[in-house]
Amino acid sequence: MAACIWEWLIENEEVKKIDRIMVATLFSVCGAVGYRIYSKVLAQKYNFDSYSSISFINVNDEDIGNRVVKMIAAVLETISGYQSGTKVFSLAGISNCFVVGYIAIIFMMTLYIGMKGKKHFLFYTYIVMLVAFNTFIMLFTDVGFSSGVFVSRYYGLALTFLFFIIPIYCEVEANNRKKIVYMACIMISLVVDSFVNTLQIQATDLNVGRRGAITYLKNNDLNFGYATFWNANVTTELTDGEINLAPICSAKSMKSFEYLMKKEYLNIDYIDSTCFILLTREEYNDEKECSVIEGGRKEYEDDFFVVLTYHNSEELYGLAANDN
């Protein structure tokens, strides 16, 4: 938004130079206010990662070429719906061809603007530099990869700015026929890709294994408990906040997994009524001999999840203290 407004100010001859300075100052003030809110309000209530701990990778120990290939594959899947491992002559494979096609068109538009476009050059430079900077950060720091897997969702946010290239290109390109062809190709590709992905999403319920445990918790008015990270917030989301879960590292340790967690959950006396712990079948089997599981009352189990209940959170943490 800041780049858009600044671009308009640069091109608008009627805007006085002093007004541009005032707007630039306003941006700085807004940034300072935002940081103050982050550090004094949000940071006091929530735990989240910051970028202060970023470090560069050891290039001698890393295969840069392999990192580039993983980035390309993950980015295709993140921003375009590209599906790896599909057969070429299948519905998903045909969709992949359209995906690669419209990404190639956007790339060609970017090159054309760089060579021919003087209009909107500031905004164009901002977009290109934003993507280039994020590419560098993802490749040469420990932000982009986790246990050898590229975390594409961080990079995908920067790449969405590339879609602003399309309206800039339409203003720069004088050949209307070429613009129509390019836009038609992009629209057809997006429609085909969206159609194929929608069909596959509708045919697959990734949360089917959670339904039984969630139904039990709702029917028995169990509205607060604990679960490992990938099962805590998901359950809260699927129940529209009716059931709240505090993320933990494991049942044995009962150590809080503080990422995206409300700070009041850190209080071991947070709830003075019946609470529960929700474990996957694998988590339950791996730690079934720990005090938390042995001391809990097994109220529900199926092929996917196990629910154990406790009189209150103090009892639960007291059992965990036996193993720690």
Side-chain angles (χ1 to χ4, degrees), residues 69-88:
V69 170
K70 286 184 177 180
M71 278 185 63
I72 293 173
V75 166
L76 284 172
E77 294 174 357
T78 302
I79 69 169
S80 63
Y82 180 91
Q83 300 179 52
S84 300
T86 58
K87 294 183 178 180
V88 174

Side-chain angles (χ1 to χ4, degrees), residues 213-234:
I214 288 175
T215 300
Y216 171 80
L217 294 172
K218 284 184 175 181
N219 292 342
N220 289 272
D221 296 324
L222 293 169
N223 50 33
F224 183 80
Y226 302 84
T228 50
F229 177 75
W230 292 109
N231 297 307
N233 292 336
V234 171

Side-chain angles (χ1 to χ4, degrees), residues 59-75:
V59 293
N60 294 322
D61 297 335
E62 296 283 350
D63 185 347
I64 299 300
N66 186 45
R67 290 172 72 94
V68 171
V69 170
K70 286 184 177 180
M71 278 185 63
I72 293 173
V75 166

